[in-house]
Amino acid sequence: MLEYERSLWDQGFQYIAGVDEVGRGCLFGDVVAAAVILPQGLILEDVNDSKKLSAKKREQQYELIQQEAIAISIGIVDVRMIEQINIKQASRLAMKLAVEGLDPIPDYLLIDAEQVDIELAQEPIIHGDAVSQSIAAASIIAKVTRDRMCLEWDKTYPEYGIAVHKGYATKLHREKLLELGSTTMHRKTFLKNIMAESRQLELF
């Protein structure tokens, strides 16, 4: 998990930031990105792609990363902006906001399969959260942050099950949308195809 980082440290880069986002594929809620700079040489044994960790393990690793990191920053782009500029651009914007919030300023970015519109040396890595500790740490910070936001959103919209499905297009979520309609927190551009598919399935 440190192959990319070690190569960059050997080249003289000091502050390497891992960058990742969560919520790109959701029907509901904001997209959240995190940028994390870890100390050179630090090994976090259980840090991995946040999707591969249980909620309890993610929370544990979140606290550990908070303790050990040199810098952590969060970038959030809301539903209104997602609808305006599309989810790909919103994800990239969230990543940019996260990077811009780091102190110290990183001298290199390792990003999960994306590029950030910023004048910093960077490398996009496919499945980066599975091969880079820095990106995996960012994925955990972003995931736990967004999951906690989902718990708050669930208080406002308790009938939709947001705390359970986190805004993704699960069977429960689609059923609730068919029953109740959408909220102001739903991404309307995402719903068209999903709901059309759901209604087709109901016909058969």
Side-chain angles (χ1 to χ4, degrees), residues 123-143:
E123 181 175 0
I125 304 172
I126 303 298
H127 303 306
D129 49 7
V131 296
S132 162
Q133 179 176 267
S134 301
I135 297 175
S139 80
I140 290 168
I141 295 294
K143 174 67 173 165

Side-chain angles (χ1 to χ4, degrees), residues 8-152:
L8 292 167
W9 289 326
D10 289 345
Q11 295 173 55
F13 293 101
Q14 183 177 6
Y15 297 126
I16 300 164
V19 187
D20 201 2
E21 56 75 27
V22 172
R24 187 167 182 154
C26 293
L27 304 179
F28 178 102
D30 308 341
V31 63
V32 177
V36 177
I37 301 174
L38 296 173
Q40 187 166 331
L42 176 70
I43 297 174
L44 299 174
E45 294 289 351
D46 293 325
V47 165
N48 203 333
D49 173 5
S50 64
K51 295 183 291 296
K52 297 178 181 177
L53 302 176
S54 66
K56 182 179 179 181
K57 180 67 78 173
R58 277 197 301 269
E59 287 283 349
Q60 291 172 346
Q61 294 306 306
Y62 176 93
E63 297 301 332
L64 180 60
I65 294 162
Q66 291 282 351
Q67 292 171 20
E68 299 288 349
I70 292 171
I72 296 174
S73 177
I74 301 293
I76 298 173
V77 174
D78 65 18
V79 173
R80 181 184 59 81
M81 184 61 73
I82 292 170
E83 299 283 71
Q84 282 183 15
I85 64 176
N86 76 50
I87 187 58
K88 179 177 176 63
Q89 296 306 319
S91 298
R92 294 178 71 173
L93 176 58
M95 289 179 170
K96 181 180 180 182
L97 293 171
V99 171
E100 288 176 339
L102 288 171
D103 182 16
I105 298 170
D107 43 22
Y108 204 98
L109 308 178
L110 295 174
I111 311 162
D112 188 40
E114 195 51 273
Q115 287 186 306
V116 176
D117 183 21
I118 197 167
E119 292 297 319
L120 289 171
Q122 57 188 274
E123 181 175 0
I125 304 172
I126 303 298
H127 303 306
D129 49 7
V131 296
S132 162
Q133 179 176 267
S134 301
I135 297 175
S139 80
I140 290 168
I141 295 294
K143 174 67 173 165
V144 172
T145 298
R146 192 178 188 280
D147 282 358
R148 290 176 179 180
M149 292 166 68
C150 286
L151 295 179
E152 293 304 310

Side-chain angles (χ1 to χ4, degrees), residues 22-30 143 146-147 149-151 153-154 160-174 177 183 185-187 190-191 194:
V22 172
R24 187 167 182 154
C26 293
L27 304 179
F28 178 102
D30 308 341
K143 174 67 173 165
R146 192 178 188 280
D147 282 358
M149 292 166 68
C150 286
L151 295 179
W153 292 329
D154 188 69
Y160 285 86
I162 304 300
V164 178
H165 54 66
K166 307 299 191 295
Y168 287 92
T170 63
K171 183 173 183 288
L172 170 64
H173 196 180
R174 294 197 305 270
L177 280 164
T183 71
M185 289 288 291
H186 279 94
R187 304 174 188 174
F190 280 50
L191 294 182
I194 290 290

